[in-house]
Amino acid sequence: MRREETVKLISAEGFEFVIDKKAAMVSQTIRNMLTSPGSFAETEHGEVTFPEISTTILEKICQYFYWSLQYASGKETEFHIEPELSLELMMAANYLHT
Amino acid sequence: MMVKQKVPSLVDLCVQTAVDNVRYLGDVGETDIHLLERILPHCTVEQLMHIENSTEGRDLSPITDKLWKKFYELQFGAKSTNLVTERMQQKKVTFKWKLLFEAKTKDLEEAQQKSFNRIKELYKKEDARKQSRQVRLCTKVPPSSSKRSFYGGGPGSNFSNSKSGLMKKAKLEFLNSREVKNVAAMKKNTLQRNHGVSSMRKPGGFSGSDSASTSRLSNPTRRIF
């Protein structure tokens, strides 16, 4: 995996998730952050920090990104969400436009 | 290039999960209004009540008021709902439908409880009435039947049964009268004679036929009234 093709997503607790740029782009918000000129402060060096999103949620979001790519390529499986995460995950997903 | 199929968004998936698990929802915190509007209509009365009570520091009524109105109508009928709406318009006041729902439910419960109690009382009364009319064992012994005897046959007569003093006197007089005394005396004699003849035998003449002699001698002891 080439360094340029990845991004780093950082949670509120400081956990770093390194994922494919392609996966990250599933989120409209992140896509905007990474592609627009005159970038956001969060996107310095291909890193995006999310101070309001907890580690557990961010991890789940990354999982979703990959699942989404898989689904789009024809492999339709089920994406299971733990009920206790559903509300928080929903709000984060809403924020990320994903 | 792959043909992109419609991938379900994470938001949609989360909404679906929340709807499936709505019974576990409590404090919905800062969840977006338009997201709540997708989820809360799936609640029952109890679930919605629980969520609103758990979500402190946030008024959910912009979303839930119409839901409570719907519950009110389901529970109490369209007529009642319209009546309430009219009244509020007339008096130019607005009450939250959640409040109206709770108040009406309480009223109904109280009225029901009242009528239950009333029915209970009625049953109690009826029971008590039945109990009082029951056949019960008593310890008193009924008085023994009195056998009235007017012709007692001499000294055996019992005139204590007579209630009337007059009758008592009359009876006494009769029993002490000559006739009764005579009869009694004759009876006595007969008994004695019968015994006497069998043991006394005159030598010579009368030996052998005891029975004959007794029968002859007993003839004169006929009762005379």
Side-chain angles (χ1 to χ4, degrees):
Chain A
M1 211 174 3
R2 281 158 60 196
R3 191 91 38 98
E4 291 77 24
E5 297 305 314
T6 63
V7 288
K8 196 190 272 183
L9 304 180
I10 306 165
S11 75
E13 290 89 10
F15 237 87
E16 297 176 357
F17 295 91
V18 180
I19 58 170
D20 283 341
K21 215 173 191 177
K22 200 176 167 202
M25 300 287 231
V26 171
S27 156
Q28 197 63 41
T29 310
I30 297 177
R31 184 197 289 264
N32 291 343
M33 279 180 177
L34 296 173
T35 55
S36 70
S39 52
F40 294 76
E42 298 96 334
T43 58
E44 293 280 321
H45 313 297
E47 289 180 7
V48 190
T49 316
F50 298 103
E52 292 128 17
I53 303 178
S54 72
T55 309
T56 324
I57 300 298
L58 191 56
E59 184 181 18
K60 201 74 192 179
I61 289 173
C62 293
Q63 285 172 6
Y64 172 77
F65 290 153
Y66 282 103
W67 176 85
S68 174
L69 293 179
Q70 211 176 57
Y71 197 99
S73 71
K75 195 170 174 196
E76 292 178 19
T77 54
E78 196 197 310
F79 185 70
H80 178 71
I81 299 171
E82 287 78 7
E84 59 270 21
L85 298 180
S86 62
L87 278 185
E88 222 185 315
L89 188 62
M90 186 172 65
M91 290 199 277
N94 194 39
Y95 169 72
L96 292 173
H97 281 93
T98 174
Chain B
M1 260 300 176
M2 297 282 177
V3 178
K4 271 212 182 127
Q5 295 179 55
K6 187 74 171 102
V7 184
S9 76
L10 188 54
V11 175
D12 286 345
L13 291 173
C14 288
V15 168
Q16 196 54 54
T17 309
V19 166
D20 291 342
N21 295 283
V22 82
R23 63 190 173 281
Y24 299 118
L25 286 180
D27 180 3
V28 293
E30 295 301 315
T31 311
D32 237 47
I33 290 182
H34 78 275
L35 292 172
L36 288 175
E37 287 199 327
R38 287 170 72 180
I39 299 164
L40 295 183
H42 295 266
C43 293
T44 62
V45 172
E46 290 81 17
Q47 286 162 357
L48 192 62
M49 188 76 78
H50 175 65
I51 289 170
E52 279 204 85
N53 293 341
S54 309
T55 309
E56 291 168 13
R58 187 183 174 187
D59 182 17
L60 294 174
S61 45
I63 311 149
T64 59
D65 202 44
K66 49 188 174 287
L67 297 176
W68 283 113
K69 187 175 178 184
K70 190 167 59 92
F71 284 140
Y72 189 100
E73 190 169 334
L74 281 171
Q75 189 85 333
F76 304 115
K79 237 187 186 176
S80 178
T81 314
N82 294 335
L83 193 70
V84 170
T85 316
E86 266 178 39
R87 279 204 196 131
M88 288 203 287
Q89 278 173 358
Q90 279 171 9
K91 301 194 178 166
K92 302 221 193 309
V93 286
T94 325
F95 291 116
K96 293 207 178 131
W97 281 100
K98 180 176 182 235
L99 216 69
L100 293 165
F101 183 91
E102 283 172 328
K104 184 98 180 163
T105 307
K106 192 167 170 222
D107 268 353
L108 213 72
E109 274 173 14
E110 279 176 3
Q112 266 188 345
Q113 194 57 40
K114 247 189 183 171
S115 63
F116 282 150
N117 289 341
R118 214 170 349 117
I119 292 175
K120 212 166 91 170
E121 277 304 312
L122 284 173
Y123 270 112
K124 247 192 198 170
K125 271 192 189 156
E126 183 60 24
D127 244 1
R129 192 184 72 88
K130 280 190 185 163
Q131 288 280 357
S132 71
R133 288 164 66 104
Q134 239 181 17
V135 173
R136 278 195 242 259
L137 277 172
C138 67
T139 51
K140 281 191 187 171
V141 178
S144 56
S145 60
S146 52
K147 282 210 179 120
R148 294 184 175 220
S149 47
F150 289 100
Y151 304 112
S157 173
N158 173 20
F159 52 86
S160 63
N161 293 328
S162 174
K163 284 184 187 168
S164 139
L166 202 61
M167 281 306 292
K168 237 185 182 170
K169 200 175 170 198
K171 258 192 172 169
L172 255 171
E173 267 179 27
F174 172 74
L175 286 168
N176 289 333
S177 68
R178 256 304 99 193
E179 284 86 349
V180 173
K181 277 201 172 151
N182 282 342
V183 170
M186 281 209 278
K187 230 186 170 181
K188 256 195 193 152
N189 281 338
T190 316
L191 285 166
Q192 280 173 356
R193 270 177 157 196
N194 282 344
H195 286 294
V197 167
S198 52
S199 53
M200 258 187 336
R201 276 181 224 161
K202 272 195 179 161
F206 292 94
S207 61
S209 54
D210 284 357
S211 52
S213 55
T214 48
S215 61
R216 248 204 282 151
L217 284 167
S218 66
N219 275 341
T221 60
R222 260 178 295 141
R223 278 197 188 184
I224 302 160
F225 285 102

